[in-house]
Amino acid sequence: MNSLSKILLLMLASPVLATEPAQFDYMMNCQGCHLPNGEGFPAHQVPAVKDHLGKFLHVEGGRQFLIQVPGSAQSDLSDEKLTSVINWMLTTFSPNELPESFSPYTAEEVGHLRQDPLIDVKGIRAKLITRIERLASKEWMQNTEAAL
Amino acid sequence: MLNKWLDKLAENTTRNHARLTSRRGLLQKLGFFLMGISVYPLVPVFRNSAFAEKASKIAEGGDPNGCNYWRHGAIDGFLCGCCGGSVTSCPPGTVVSDITWIGTCRNPEDGRDYVISYNDCCGKSACGNCLCQRDEGDTPVYRPQNSNNLNWCSGSQADVPYHCSLSVVIGVKQQATS
């Protein structure tokens, strides 16, 4: 039997394809509010993940924040599952914002970070966003200077 | 001179117009238009791309408008199928809330766990038909991540008025490898 007919047979044997495990965990724990494409609902205070998530990894404290934020730290997911969900979200929803030196989270790191939850979530988030904006404007200035 | 010219212009335009249009044309067009607006909301078209579900390969059994239907494991509200919609589409005149409660239900036909999204349909007052409250997997509101006792319509364009609930299949759990 050649491989093509094996694949066909497999497809017939399992009529419904399973959802990828990290995406399944995203669906069960995050998607209800952050929506299937991660665009969130900023008008109703659900932050957009899409095209934003990776920006946090550029500034000091951002890498920790993504795990310490209540939606991550207090989810029902185990450390291993939370790790694969956050790595899946970063590479799926925000690949263009990832720093070149991006190294995926490890379960050990995640387990350690979520032991230390945030008290002032909004305040810290605002501070990180200011840092991100400052970094973006600095880069823009540098780029313009280089262009001149 | 000018008056005469204006008279001529008005007369010619009117005559031309009369020659080119039928006297009943306006009535006909107006009729189509009025009929069209009243019928448009009843056209059974797919109005939202929010749903991942395709005309499915899923093995189905049971009555979608009964509370015991397999997809309604965590339902808490009126079934849209009894309100002019279906188990996956909102009734005319309502909009689907994007923000939603998600859980899994086991399909007795194939024994697999499916990811179900319980989107609410919003914009009209409560439907009142087929009230189901199975609440499997629901947690108290102090664990909001898994509590279904919220008005999900506050996450829709129509905001608060809740009409009925859908049970949409959005994924399938991977089976434990044996």
Side-chain angles (χ1 to χ4, degrees):
Chain A
M1 192 189 284
N2 63 22
S3 58
L4 187 70
S5 51
K6 266 185 204 161
I7 292 171
L8 280 174
L9 202 73
L10 257 176
M11 282 170 79
L12 283 175
S14 58
V16 185
L17 290 176
T19 310
E20 207 257 314
Q23 187 179 11
F24 172 84
D25 288 328
Y26 174 79
M27 283 177 164
M28 294 295 293
N29 294 277
C30 325
Q31 182 170 316
C33 297
H34 286 291
L35 303 192
N37 300 322
E39 68 264 43
F41 216 113
H44 289 260
Q45 297 176 351
V46 181
V49 170
K50 191 176 166 53
D51 302 334
H52 289 291
L53 204 58
K55 292 179 189 169
F56 284 89
L57 300 182
H58 290 268
V59 295
E60 195 197 328
R63 190 172 171 101
Q64 292 88 317
F65 176 79
L66 295 186
I67 302 301
Q68 289 169 334
V69 77
S72 301
Q74 293 170 26
S75 69
D76 287 336
L77 294 166
S78 67
D79 294 346
E80 288 74 23
K81 286 189 166 177
L82 178 58
T83 309
S84 36
V85 170
I86 194 78
N87 287 332
W88 179 84
M89 286 171 74
L90 282 163
T91 48
T92 309
F93 295 137
S94 192
N96 300 326
E97 287 75 26
L98 285 181
E100 276 172 31
S101 59
F102 168 65
S103 58
Y105 285 89
T106 63
E108 217 180 348
E109 180 189 10
V110 165
H112 189 68
L113 284 173
R114 74 194 293 199
Q115 296 299 318
D116 202 11
L118 300 175
I119 307 296
D120 178 20
V121 183
K122 276 188 180 170
I124 290 185
R125 182 169 182 270
K127 207 180 279 174
L128 289 170
I129 288 175
T130 320
R131 275 182 206 160
I132 291 169
E133 280 165 357
R134 217 177 283 158
L135 191 73
S137 63
K138 210 160 123 192
E139 271 171 17
W140 183 81
M141 298 251 284
Q142 277 168 356
N143 288 342
T144 0
E145 269 170 33
L148 290 171
Chain B
M1 179 78 183
L2 186 68
N3 274 351
K4 209 172 172 190
W5 181 77
L6 269 177
D7 271 355
K8 202 79 188 156
L9 183 74
E11 189 191 331
N12 281 344
T13 320
T14 321
R15 282 186 190 282
N16 247 330
H17 195 249
R19 214 173 14 245
L20 292 175
T21 53
S22 113
R23 264 175 288 173
R24 299 198 189 106
L26 175 74
L27 279 180
Q28 188 196 10
K29 274 179 195 149
L30 201 67
F32 264 127
F33 181 68
L34 287 175
M35 192 66 191
I37 351 183
S38 61
V39 165
Y40 177 74
L42 304 176
V43 177
V45 290
F46 189 69
R47 290 174 202 287
N48 199 312
S49 57
F51 305 130
E53 188 168 274
K54 298 202 175 79
S56 71
K57 290 179 187 165
I58 304 169
E60 283 284 358
D63 171 20
N65 290 343
C67 294
N68 290 327
Y69 181 59
W70 69 274
R71 292 191 196 185
H72 299 327
I75 201 92
D76 179 0
F78 307 111
L79 304 182
C80 288
C82 303
C83 306
S86 76
V87 74
T88 56
S89 67
C90 285
T94 60
V95 291
V96 69
S97 72
D98 294 325
I99 291 188
T100 176
W101 197 88
I102 294 175
T104 58
C105 292
R106 179 155 302 162
N107 184 350
E109 299 290 318
D110 62 5
R112 301 188 67 183
D113 295 328
Y114 287 82
V115 188
I116 312 284
S117 177
Y118 295 94
N119 297 71
D120 286 341
C121 296
C122 319
K124 291 203 315 203
S125 59
C127 157
N129 298 332
C130 300
L131 175 66
C132 296
Q133 202 153 15
R134 281 173 63 184
D135 288 340
E136 291 161 28
D138 171 40
T139 57
V141 274
Y142 55 79
R143 277 197 66 78
Q145 289 100 326
N146 287 318
S147 170
N148 73 1
N149 228 350
L150 303 171
N151 186 344
W152 299 101
C153 284
S154 55
S156 78
Q157 306 93 302
D159 219 345
V160 174
Y162 164 78
H163 190 62
C164 62
S165 301
L166 309 174
S167 300
V168 186
V169 173
I170 56 169
V172 194
K173 190 178 182 181
Q174 202 173 40
Q175 283 166 312
T177 42
S178 50

